[in-house]
Amino acid sequence: MAAQDAPVCQIISFHDSKTSPDPFFELSPQCLNPTPAPIVIDNGSFQTRAGWATSAAELSSLLLQFRSVAARSRGAARSETQIGNDIPNLEPLRWLLKSQFDRNVVVNFEIQELIFDYIFTHLGINSEGSVKHPIVLTEAPCNPLHCRQMMSELLFECYSVPYVSYGVDGLYSFYHNNAQRKQQPPHTGIILSSGYHCSHILPVINSRQVTTNGQLLLCDFQSCVLKSCHLKCFKYPNTHQFPLKKLCCSVLCDVNFRLDAVNCKRVNVAGSQASSYLQRLLQLKYPGHLSSITLSRMEELLHEHSYTAVDYHEEMEKWRSPEFYEREVHRMQLSFSGKLPSGCVTAEERQERRAQQLRRLQEINARRREERLQQDQERLDRLLAVQELWEDGLLDQFHRSLVELNMDSAEELQSYIKKLQLAVEQGRQKLLHSDGVEGKTEGLEFEQPMDEGDGVALMDSDFFEDMLPQKSNMAQPSFNMAEYHQLFVGTERLRCPEILFQPSLIGEEQMGLMETLQYVLARYTPEQQEALVSNVFLTGGNIQYPGMKERIERELLAMRPFQSHFKVTMASRPALDAWYGARDWALEHPPGEALEGWISRQDYEEKGGEYLSEHCASNIFIPMKIAKPVPARSAEPSVTAQTSTGASAAITTVTSSLDASSASLSADVTMVTS
């Protein structure tokens, strides 16, 4: 029974998996006929995924999946840049790696262009100067207009794509899983999405259509209020006009759910912070293996060996038990060679080293004794020469010599000569004794010289006796080289995922994921809160820890009122469902006559690069025109005045035309922007 209950040691080796280059696919005719198939790109900050949106079975799966990094040495040509899976091992090139992201927003469009080149080349698109396929691309929630403008400019100007559609990865995953579960629209819920750089809380409110007295009110999301459905046009603040009939049809037919952008929140804690935290913890714990504790291995530990504690403090108390520790700790085996490192020697080698050190010290002691004996002999000869002056009657020279020797009388000189003669004799005897009897250390000792300026300290004879190899019946403990190269990963398995709920563990002064969720829910009415928590959806690569769903259910139970209902669901493939959701959306909404969610080249040229055609999985587009300040020129006042006059005239003309068109309408248009 005791043998059955004995803890089993889990010794696990790092995979250290190396990526292989992606294959170059040939462009299938099914991607061209009858119309060019859209290319779906999940542009993630950790991994980029790409493939075709086509009904063909062999092309409906994900084709490319690689890290969103590029490595290029300084001064190297563009063709020498390594992208994604072309880099077999990231660690040697870690200092060269560059990403197109700053947190979760694309800011480095030079790297983004290299990523696009990599995708189009491997998908088999070899057309010069243009890509004739529509692009479905993911972007960050509440993506800045400038970043979208630069992305649209890159796609339309550099690649001449015909259509572009932008969507949020978390909403695509929500869209895909609702379709898999065959839930009928409209959908309401709240999405908890955690990726590589940030985590997001995205409330989704369904569009309840309430029609009273010929008025259509979309009241569950803060978008717009349309009155009087017989209006001929709908005016945006930037004077772009859209037919109201088409607008109403798109709102009524396709808006199954809508992102409430006002109440979306971001938490700047995710997978990259957990990896860095785990690396710091293990490097402090094992300072002898700093080079072996790499970020790639820490990501492997997070993905395969970490878990989320349902009750963090209770779980930490369990780790105090030695039996629980031995059973749950993961021993990660590092690679090592059979050669023993310095300081790790056997008992025989240790004894041999002690004997060698003893012989070396004996030689040093004998050499110093000879030097000291020679110095004493020279000093004795000098004193004897001074004594001869006194015996020869040369008193003047004798007294001058005494003054130089710092002596007062001849008696003191005689006493000093006797001491030196005795010291010289003893030194000769000890030198002869040490030469004749090797290995004996009873007589070995350093003596304090009479001249204290040489700085040689006294050494006890027991010092040498302790260093002698001594025979003992006690068994010497054997050194286990394999155990020395093991990383014991214990409480780190749950401490690193915990930063998602307690960012203060890594020094971040911000709310955790569940505190932020509670703050977002507090901004809604009790009825809306009940509808939101009835569909809490978890997605993202950093949400895949075992126990994450149970932890969020426990936190919601403590957060919500007594006997209230809620439901937490996990994405079927948290890291991949964003791409599959974007593919499903592209298959159901092909670019054609109904351009709901698609931005054409004409839209880009007329409405600007920041324009967004909204759909069920996109951000909310709030048009904004930021006027660029024109510096006034003092040297040309007439030109400035003329320009101002022309601008005023233009504004007056536009205002007049707007007033004329407004007078022809039977009702006003009210726009509520969030």
Side-chain angles (χ1 to χ4, degrees):
M1 187 68 181
Q4 295 179 358
D5 296 338
V8 179
C9 297
Q10 303 183 44
I11 301 178
I12 308 167
S13 298
F14 285 104
H15 297 312
D16 289 334
S17 57
K18 296 184 179 181
T19 59
S20 57
D22 290 318
F24 289 88
F25 297 96
E26 293 185 0
L27 187 60
S28 174
Q30 299 175 354
C31 297
L32 297 174
N33 297 318
T35 58
I39 299 175
V40 181
I41 302 175
D42 181 12
N43 196 29
S45 57
F46 180 71
Q47 281 186 333
T48 300
R49 304 169 184 90
W52 297 99
T54 177
S55 57
E58 62 273 11
L59 298 174
S60 61
S61 61
L62 187 63
L63 297 182
L64 297 177
Q65 184 174 355
F66 56 91
R67 286 291 297 268
S68 302
V69 291
R72 180 170 60 181
S73 302
R74 182 175 299 177
R78 182 186 178 92
S79 59
E80 298 177 4
T81 305
Q82 294 178 296
I83 306 289
N85 291 336
D86 288 344
I87 310 172
N89 189 6
L90 295 179
E91 293 309 322
L93 301 177
R94 179 72 67 176
W95 63 284
L96 288 175
L97 297 182
K98 293 181 181 179
S99 175
Q100 69 268 40
F101 286 91
D102 182 6
R103 290 192 181 273
N104 65 328
V105 177
V106 178
V107 295
N108 192 339
F109 287 91
E110 181 183 359
I111 302 298
Q112 184 64 64
E113 184 180 353
L114 294 174
I115 298 290
F116 283 150
D117 289 344
Y118 183 88
I119 293 173
F120 297 148
T121 304
H122 283 76
L123 288 181
I125 300 174
N126 53 10
S127 55
E128 291 292 336
S130 64
V131 175
K132 300 303 182 181
H133 297 267
I135 304 296
V136 180
L137 187 66
T138 59
E139 64 178 6
C142 304
N143 192 34
L145 294 182
H146 173 72
C147 297
R148 187 183 301 126
Q149 177 184 3
M150 297 296 294
M151 187 68 74
S152 297
E153 181 179 344
L154 176 64
L155 290 172
F156 283 111
E157 300 293 345
C158 182
Y159 296 101
S160 300
V161 299
Y163 299 98
V164 174
S165 178
Y166 297 105
V168 180
D169 52 357
L171 294 179
Y172 278 134
S173 180
F174 189 61
Y175 178 90
H176 177 70
N177 283 269
N178 286 335
Q180 278 190 333
R181 292 194 292 266
K182 298 181 180 180
Q183 293 185 0
Q184 297 298 324
H187 304 295
T188 298
I190 191 161
I191 302 172
L192 303 185
S193 174
S194 183
Y196 188 61
H197 283 126
C198 331
S199 302
H200 292 93
I201 296 179
L202 310 175
V204 175
I205 304 294
N206 63 333
S207 57
R208 290 184 299 176
Q209 298 135 13
V210 182
T211 306
T212 56
N213 299 327
Q215 295 182 349
L216 174 66
L217 179 61
L218 302 179
C219 57
D220 277 358
F221 59 90
Q222 300 176 1
S223 58
C224 61
V225 176
L226 297 179
K227 296 182 179 179
S228 301
C229 291
H230 58 277
L231 295 183
K232 296 181 180 179
C233 62
F234 176 78
K235 292 186 174 57
Y236 276 86
N238 59 356
T239 71
H240 293 308
Q241 299 183 1
F242 303 94
L244 181 63
K245 182 178 180 181
K246 183 182 291 186
L247 178 67
C248 291
C249 290
S250 64
V251 170
L252 287 171
C253 299
D254 192 55
V255 180
N256 295 332
F257 53 92
R258 190 64 71 120
L259 177 68
D260 187 2
V262 175
N263 295 320
C264 292
K265 298 299 175 185
R266 182 182 70 186
V267 180
N268 292 325
V269 175
S272 63
Q273 290 82 4
S275 301
S276 301
Y277 183 46
L278 180 58
Q279 185 183 33
R280 291 201 306 269
L281 289 178
L282 291 182
Q283 283 181 345
L284 288 172
K285 190 174 181 180
Y286 299 99
H289 302 301
L290 296 181
S291 60
S292 300
I293 303 174
T294 61
L295 273 178
S296 299
R297 287 178 170 176
M298 298 306 102
E299 291 169 359
E300 180 183 335
L301 283 178
L302 280 177
H303 296 162
E304 300 183 10
H305 302 280
S306 299
Y307 68 97
T308 303
V310 178
D311 188 331
Y312 179 68
H313 297 288
E314 180 181 347
E315 191 73 15
M316 290 295 288
E317 287 296 326
K318 291 181 181 178
W319 281 90
R320 293 179 178 271
S321 170
E323 294 79 9
F324 184 87
Y325 180 87
E326 290 294 330
R327 185 174 65 253
E328 297 296 332
V329 68
H330 286 192
R331 294 169 170 84
M332 306 304 299
Q333 184 67 59
L334 301 175
S335 58
F336 64 96
S337 60
K339 185 178 179 180
L340 292 173
S342 58
C344 303
V345 295
T346 61
E348 293 77 8
E349 292 181 348
R350 190 180 300 110
Q351 292 178 357
E352 180 64 24
R353 290 186 180 183
R354 285 183 178 178
Q356 292 178 0
Q357 188 175 9
L358 176 60
R359 288 192 294 269
R360 191 162 53 249
L361 289 176
Q362 289 175 346
E363 294 174 359
I364 294 174
N365 192 24
R367 186 166 56 253
R368 289 184 176 180
R369 185 177 288 108
E370 292 177 358
E371 294 175 356
R372 187 168 57 252
L373 180 61
Q374 184 178 1
Q375 292 175 0
D376 291 344
Q377 185 63 46
E378 292 176 356
R379 190 174 181 84
L380 179 59
D381 294 340
R382 184 182 177 187
L383 294 180
L384 291 175
V386 174
Q387 186 181 12
E388 290 179 357
L389 293 176
W390 179 64
E391 294 176 352
D392 295 339
L394 302 175
L395 299 180
D396 294 338
Q397 297 181 7
F398 174 72
H399 288 297
R400 284 197 300 270
S401 299
L402 285 180
V403 172
E404 292 176 359
L405 295 174
N406 197 18
M407 296 183 183
D408 297 333
S409 61
E411 290 78 8
E412 186 176 357
L413 177 62
Q414 293 291 335
S415 175
Y416 209 71
I417 289 175
K418 290 180 181 179
K419 290 181 180 179
L420 276 178
Q421 289 176 344
L422 182 59
V424 168
E425 185 64 26
Q426 290 179 353
R428 289 174 178 172
Q429 294 295 331
K430 290 181 179 180
L431 187 59
L432 293 175
H433 180 72
S434 62
D435 292 339
V437 185
E438 291 184 351
K440 303 258 183 199
T441 60
E442 289 79 9
L444 293 178
E445 60 180 358
F446 286 113
E447 296 180 358
Q448 180 71 24
M450 299 180 64
D451 213 357
E452 296 182 357
D454 58 356
V456 180
L458 289 174
M459 299 184 67
D460 192 0
S461 60
D462 294 337
F463 175 77
F464 297 100
E465 294 178 1
D466 293 339
M467 297 188 63
L468 283 174
Q470 297 179 1
K471 295 183 180 180
S472 175
N473 295 328
M474 297 178 60
Q476 296 290 338
S478 60
F479 179 77
N480 191 340
M481 178 64 69
E483 187 174 350
Y484 175 76
H485 287 85
Q486 287 177 4
L487 305 180
F488 286 64
V489 185
T491 57
E492 295 84 4
R493 295 175 55 202
L494 67 148
R495 290 171 64 186
C496 295
E498 185 65 23
I499 67 172
L500 196 60
F501 302 94
Q502 300 184 53
S504 59
L505 294 175
I506 58 174
E508 292 286 344
E509 296 182 356
Q510 56 180 314
M511 292 189 295
L513 190 66
M514 299 309 295
E515 292 178 274
T516 310
L517 174 61
Q518 186 175 12
Y519 173 79
V520 170
L521 290 175
R523 300 171 68 91
Y524 293 95
T525 62
E527 293 78 11
Q528 289 176 326
Q529 292 182 24
E530 194 72 23
L532 287 171
V533 299
S534 63
N535 188 9
V536 180
F537 181 70
L538 310 181
T539 185
N542 195 47
I543 213 77
Q544 302 181 85
Y545 300 112
M548 178 65 72
K549 180 181 176 182
E550 292 77 9
R551 172 65 177 272
I552 292 178
E553 288 176 344
R554 183 181 182 277
E555 297 281 351
L556 278 173
L557 182 64
M559 183 190 307
R560 300 295 298 154
F562 179 63
Q563 290 186 345
S564 62
H565 299 282
F566 58 86
K567 183 180 179 181
V568 180
T569 57
M570 178 83 73
S572 57
R573 291 164 295 188
L576 302 178
D577 279 352
W579 185 88
Y580 284 99
R583 183 206 61 181
D584 294 346
W585 181 89
L587 289 174
E588 295 176 7
H589 303 80
E593 295 182 359
L595 297 179
E596 179 69 24
W598 292 97
I599 305 171
S600 64
R601 178 67 184 240
Q602 183 179 359
D603 293 333
Y604 165 73
E605 293 175 350
E606 292 180 357
K607 303 169 187 177
E610 70 276 4
Y611 172 69
L612 173 67
S613 179
E614 297 180 8
H615 57 91
C616 61
S618 72
N619 282 305
I620 302 296
F621 176 57
I622 303 177
M624 244 181 247
K625 288 296 181 182
I626 304 176
K628 297 182 179 180
V630 179
R633 298 179 182 178
S634 58
E636 301 178 0
S638 60
V639 177
T640 306
Q642 184 178 358
T643 304
S644 302
T645 305
S648 302
I651 293 173
T652 304
T653 304
V654 173
T655 306
S656 301
S657 63
L658 290 178
D659 293 339
S661 60
S662 300
S664 63
L665 301 178
S666 60
D668 297 331
V669 178
T670 304
M671 177 85 174
V672 180
T673 59
S674 56

